[in-house]
Amino acid sequence: MNKINSKGLLTGAIIALYVLCNVSFTKAQDVIIPIETKENALVLQVTPDKLLNMVYFGSKLSDKNEYAALAKLYQFGGTIGTYNNAYTTAGTRNLMEPAIAVTHADGNKSLELKYVNHTVTKINDDVSLLSISLKDSVYDFEVTLNYQTYYNEDVTEQWSVIKHHEKKDVVLNKYASANLCIHANSYWLKHYHGDWAKEMRPEEEQLNHGLKTLDSKLGSRADLFQPPVFMVSLNKPATEDEGEVMYGNLEWSGNFRIDLEVDPANNLRLIAGINNFAADYNLKAGVEFATPKFVYTLTNKGKGEASRNLQTWARKYKIVDGNGSRLTLLNNWESTYFDFNEDKLAGLLKDTKKLGVDLFLLDDGWFGNKYPRNGDHAGLGDWQTNKAKLPNDIAFLTKEAKANDVKFGIWIEPEMVNPKSELYEKHPDWVVKQPQRPEIYMRNQLVLDLSNPKVQDFVFGVVDNLFVKNPDLAYIKWDCNSIIFNAYSAYEKNQSNFYTDYVLGLYKVLDRIRAKYPKVPLMLCSGGGGRVDYGALKYFTEYWPSDNTEPIERIFIQWEYSYFYPAIASSNHVTDWGKQPIKFRVDVAMMGKLGFDIVIGKLKPAELAFCQGAVNTYKQFSEEIWHGDQYRLQDPRENDVASIMYVDPAKTTAIMFNYLVNNRYQAGTHEPLRLKGLNPDKTYTISEVNVFPGTRSTITEATYTGKFLMTIGINPDVSEHRASVLIAVKEN
């Protein structure tokens, strides 16, 4: 990696960041620092009095020298100071919402950070890191702002590193990852709310002057009511293919806070980071505190382009094995729940082979002896194989799986404990609970204290022991079902550190797991979508969007997640929820990473034949779904039919999913839907796939130019009699 300091000039046609130092000035001694990606620029300014300001965020200019003129073109100042500081402090000149607020060792609460220097590290031809050093002029307190850009993806990750050398601890009262200042005429925020089985429900509103906060205070399973994702459209609400829009996503699996403040000068001040609610952080001298990364992308080509930016970035740089393959599976949960034995599971392993999927997943209920796990009220924390259900241990199942030429995976929930468990009896000090208050349960369980290194060792050991004893284990479903009530740690000396240290402890465990088992697929489950963020997905291959698998509901849930996460990461299972036929349920689950959670023995012969054929069809188009570019053609919230397609990067093959979401009279498609993402100069053959046995397609196989398909389109003929239709598009 090549480093260039603040007195150098970084050149090169494909370098994501370049620095203009002693080259461009708004006035004497001003330094302009542009941060460029392929289409965009974020421009910082160092003033003569060494304040670091943000003066621009938008489309990249063709002449780099013109960035110097930007600072004087917008109104960033007011009667009480400036609003566009790059990392706004508390206690001095700023009276707006701060990004950082501290209490120094002597009790003083003032902070003013001044520019010291900056460096650029070129990580590769696509990725560059700008680090800017800031320091208080009175106290020995410093912050490094980091901007890591992904040039071709138009994505930036931003975070801060905080350090001090004062005589005693400094208390961080607020410690954000990023502080952006955006200028437009108006701002439109789309954000999400929900609850169990009601994830990712969108709301869009115009941001007016004042402060809007998106946050979580749940501790673990922090996304239950609100996820850390949002989009802001500038000047008007963006559509799928038009408008300027920014997507934001905090890479943190605990309490978060995102402030959006329209200031008196009509700038949007955006501050994102760990939630400081009940979480003042005591920082020792000489210790570096790194905030989580805040990832964002900006485009002037609408929501679809922003999605593809993030999805490409995630597959390439963030999700484990994002450019690899995924395992289709059969899960036993809705077949057996807690009621199973070796014979039942051996039969399900044979069904796995019969269905044609890759893996059998054993869900909850396989552990606990003194307190057997026969329901969700006992046994959690006691990770010994239940001898009554599995007298020959997990090894029996891995052998049976191998005999059936399929893989074997298992469910765990290692962060949690039932009060009725040996673990609780032996280590009550490992449990998060207030010592003088009644325990409060969610799903009859409590949370283990992951700020405690002994608990971290235990949780790592749960996973490690499974792999050591069962080397053929091929998949783990990691669940997390409870939020944190009565937050108190017997281990922590400063209780206000607990919420933050809990998540850092979780990441330490996951770091150890991935260091030893770098490629094993892990599903991120949290009572549904209670923990879906790129901080966790750094360690996981996929996530569980919702426990709600009713297929109509899943169309809406999966649709909204797709704005921020790629299809390869979305675990979608076929279950018995809902009244739709098996074809509809399977077609919906194919819009991501396919799995089954049904009783194969109860399927009619035609239904089984369809499922077997669907698995083959899915594997034929898995590359397009997993690694292709996603295009939304018709929104389910605005139309009778939802339509979405995935196009391989070479634009040679595509798969188009169409689902009826409105059962009113004559609802369906009555005119062509225009396709997207194809090559206008190529010709393509379209045909219907995944047709149910014994039925005939109403789509006549035909050949069209890409121009025709994207200008006129095709009608997939969706109706109450054809509620889900899959169209294959193949280059001739």
Side-chain angles (χ1 to χ4, degrees), residues 577-592:
W577 279 43
K579 299 178 181 179
Q580 288 77 16
I582 189 71
K583 172 174 165 52
F584 190 94
R585 287 179 274 149
V586 172
D587 287 354
V588 171
M590 288 173 69
M591 192 178 73

Side-chain angles (χ1 to χ4, degrees), residues 307-308 310-316 319 322 326 534 537 541-543 561-571 591-593 625-628 630 646:
S307 290
R308 290 185 288 278
L310 267 186
Q311 291 166 359
T312 302
W313 165 83
R315 289 193 300 264
K316 191 173 180 181
I319 295 171
R326 293 294 183 267
Y534 281 121
L537 281 170
T541 51
E542 56 219 61
Y543 68 91
Y561 273 118
S562 79
Y563 285 111
F564 304 96
Y565 304 99
I568 192 173
S570 179
S571 289
M591 192 178 73
K593 189 260 184 183
I625 298 168
W626 296 343
H627 307 129
Q630 179 195 70
Y646 301 88

Side-chain angles (χ1 to χ4, degrees), residues 85-99:
N85 193 265
Y87 198 63
T88 312
T89 59
T92 51
R93 71 182 68 200
N94 170 60
L95 296 176
M96 308 298 287
E97 185 64 34

Side-chain angles (χ1 to χ4, degrees), residues 447-568:
V447 181
L448 294 176
D449 180 8
L450 278 172
S451 71
N452 186 336
K454 292 182 179 179
V455 177
Q456 295 169 24
D457 290 341
F458 169 79
V459 174
F460 171 76
V462 172
V463 179
D464 192 41
N465 289 338
L466 280 169
F467 282 121
V468 170
K469 293 179 180 178
N470 307 283
D472 292 328
L473 184 63
Y475 185 96
I476 282 183
K477 177 181 177 182
W478 181 303
D479 216 339
C480 168
N481 282 304
S482 182
I483 61 177
I484 293 176
F485 297 102
N486 282 341
Y488 179 85
S489 165
Y491 171 79
E492 290 273 10
K493 293 181 180 178
N494 295 302
Q495 291 301 312
S496 60
N497 283 24
F498 167 69
Y499 278 125
T500 301
D501 285 349
Y502 175 86
V503 181
L504 295 176
L506 170 65
Y507 290 166
K508 287 178 182 178
V509 173
L510 293 170
D511 278 327
R512 291 171 65 185
I513 291 170
R514 277 306 178 200
K516 191 169 182 181
Y517 308 102
K519 291 290 187 179
V520 175
L522 301 181
M523 181 208 286
L524 175 62
C525 184
S526 191
R531 181 189 276 164
V532 184
D533 64 87
Y534 281 121
L537 281 170
K538 172 184 175 183
Y539 305 100
F540 289 81
T541 51
E542 56 219 61
Y543 68 91
W544 182 240
S546 176
D547 281 349
N548 185 345
T549 53
E550 196 282 332
I552 293 288
E553 292 292 333
R554 262 305 185 109
I555 290 168
F556 288 85
I557 292 170
Q558 291 166 195
W559 184 279
E560 298 300 336
Y561 273 118
S562 79
Y563 285 111
F564 304 96
Y565 304 99
I568 192 173

Side-chain angles (χ1 to χ4, degrees), residues 673-705:
L673 302 181
R674 287 195 292 269
L675 278 59
K676 300 176 184 177
L678 303 177
N679 187 326
D681 300 322
K682 291 182 178 180
T683 58
Y684 298 89
T685 297
I686 63 104
S687 61
E688 183 174 356
V689 296
N690 241 33
V691 179
F692 194 82
T695 63
R696 296 180 61 183
S697 173
T698 62
I699 304 296
T700 302
E701 185 174 305
T703 299
Y704 303 94
T705 63

Side-chain angles (χ1 to χ4, degrees), residues 368-435:
N369 288 296
K370 181 179 179 180
Y371 301 105
R373 183 71 168 175
N374 295 322
D376 67 3
H377 62 284
L380 195 60
D382 301 342
W383 299 102
Q384 326 96 13
T385 306
N386 182 278
K387 294 177 181 178
K389 295 179 182 179
L390 300 171
N392 295 298
D393 217 324
I394 300 300
F396 168 81
L397 298 173
T398 58
K399 290 177 183 177
E400 283 292 305
K402 185 175 289 188
N404 285 281
D405 196 28
V406 296
K407 297 180 183 297
F408 177 77
I410 202 164
W411 177 98
I412 57 173
E413 191 177 6
E415 298 168 67
M416 305 294 160
V417 62
N418 286 130
K420 193 173 182 179
S421 67
E422 292 183 81
L423 180 66
Y424 183 91
E425 291 174 347
K426 292 176 182 177
H427 298 287
D429 57 315
W430 286 8
V431 179
V432 178
K433 58 176 182 174
Q434 289 283 350

